[in-house]
Amino acid sequence: DDEASGDSDHDDDDETDPIMEYQAIPVDAAVNRIRCSPFSGVPLVATWLENGDVSIWDISPQLEKIEEKESFTKQELKSVKNRLCQFRQPCEGYALEWSHLSRGLLATGNCNGLINLYQPTDANLTSWNMDQNGFTGHTDSVEDLQFSPKEANVFASCSADKTVRVWDMNASQRSKPVINIDAHKTDVNVISWNHLSDTLIASGSDDGSFKVWDLRFPKDEYFESNWHSDQITSIQFHPKDDSVLTVSSADHRISIWDLS
């Protein structure tokens, strides 16, 4: 009987509903995209809002409350200073990415095709400056951004102008990319830079196709698939296996590919 009772207690524990703890941060408009900084220390979050606002937030007060299993009152929340800086773009955007090599470096791409960089002005990451001369090569909305996993001054972008482009932050002409790839026949929605084989970039398009490019030979795709039947919504190389790629689509399917 004791054994049966023990099994019953264990079953009851398994059926307990999980409890999700959360803390909110009020923002001024709908959030188009959010990205967390990959560096430890100050927990930073960047947001793109539909009103053109780009903000960087310190979310440590909320994390501390979650750890303590407490909540801010509405009055207390008004006095919490989460936003470290705020920049207003001429239009909204979706492309948003932190650098994995340069602490605090952020890139955004807006719906007019403009890419901007944001650099911290102090070592404690309490304020940022936005560059006044953005990268202007794209002729349509910038959809996604990826920093190079090996070169701190290099990043890639994709756009509704059907291209994937690679940029050098130190270049004198910011309208000319280092590499320009005519990648797809429709909008390029997403890209992923392989962190193990750093010459490989994957791209996914509105027509459901996705490709892998070797940046040493940008005129021809390294791999191409039309397996998905609707737009590609996300694409990601495996962090520990450079031949594995995961793709999601609006056709309600997720696929995993071994390119070895």
Side-chain angles (χ1 to χ4, degrees), residues 141-161:
S141 174
V142 180
E143 299 296 292
D144 201 8
L145 291 160
Q146 291 271 284
F147 280 96
S148 167
K150 298 289 179 66
E151 298 181 77
N153 63 312
V154 175
F155 67 91
S157 60
C158 68
S159 169
D161 66 11

Side-chain angles (χ1 to χ4, degrees), residues 79-93:
S79 63
V80 176
K81 303 298 182 183
N82 291 113
R83 182 181 271 146
L84 298 176
C85 60
Q86 181 179 18
F87 303 92
R88 182 56 58 90
Q89 289 275 352
C91 65
E92 67 179 318

Side-chain angles (χ1 to χ4, degrees), residues 24-239:
I25 298 176
V27 295
D28 307 319
V31 180
N32 290 346
R33 192 155 293 178
I34 183 170
R35 288 287 185 268
C36 295
S37 170
F39 286 94
S40 60
V42 180
L44 299 176
V45 167
T47 55
W48 244 126
L49 303 187
E50 69 173 5
N51 62 2
D53 177 277
V54 175
S55 290
I56 297 174
W57 311 78
D58 174 4
I59 62 170
S60 55
Q62 279 72 18
L63 294 179
E64 290 171 5
K65 283 293 185 181
I66 290 175
E67 186 69 23
E68 296 166 359
K69 298 188 181 302
E70 297 179 355
S71 296
F72 287 111
T73 65
K74 289 184 177 180
Q75 192 62 35
E76 288 174 335
L77 194 56
K78 292 179 181 179
S79 63
V80 176
K81 303 298 182 183
N82 291 113
R83 182 181 271 146
L84 298 176
C85 60
Q86 181 179 18
F87 303 92
R88 182 56 58 90
Q89 289 275 352
C91 65
E92 67 179 318
Y94 293 88
L96 183 66
E97 186 71 7
W98 291 100
S99 169
H100 288 73
L101 298 179
S102 299
R103 190 167 181 258
L105 174 61
L106 180 71
T108 64
N110 71 23
C111 291
N112 287 340
L114 178 66
I115 299 171
N116 287 107
L117 299 176
Y118 307 77
Q119 301 268 10
T121 59
D122 65 286
N124 295 323
L125 301 181
T126 59
S127 63
W128 276 255
N129 278 336
M130 183 180 77
D131 62 351
Q132 297 303 309
N133 298 312
F135 296 82
T136 59
H138 283 296
T139 59
D140 209 331
S141 174
V142 180
E143 299 296 292
D144 201 8
L145 291 160
Q146 291 271 284
F147 280 96
S148 167
K150 298 289 179 66
E151 298 181 77
N153 63 312
V154 175
F155 67 91
S157 60
C158 68
S159 169
D161 66 11
K162 309 172 188 177
T163 68
V164 173
R165 306 189 184 203
V166 178
W167 307 86
D168 184 348
M169 292 166 49
N170 297 328
S172 57
Q173 295 189 38
R174 291 195 162 190
S175 61
K176 293 184 178 181
V178 177
I179 299 173
N180 183 38
I181 302 173
D182 293 320
H184 293 268
K185 296 179 181 178
T186 57
D187 299 9
V188 188
N189 299 328
V190 287
I191 51 175
S192 177
W193 204 319
N194 195 312
H195 278 223
L196 300 177
S197 297
D198 63 306
T199 63
L200 299 181
I201 286 183
S203 61
S205 181
D206 247 10
D207 62 7
S209 68
F210 66 93
K211 301 180 182 182
V212 177
W213 304 91
D214 188 331
L215 297 179
R216 296 170 297 181
F217 314 103
K219 292 184 178 180
D220 298 301
E221 59 269 20
Y222 176 79
F223 173 82
E224 178 181 7
S225 174
N226 293 287
W227 187 80
H228 284 285
S229 59
D230 206 338
Q231 62 180 294
I232 304 302
T233 56
S234 183
I235 195 165
Q236 186 70 50
F237 279 108
H238 195 288

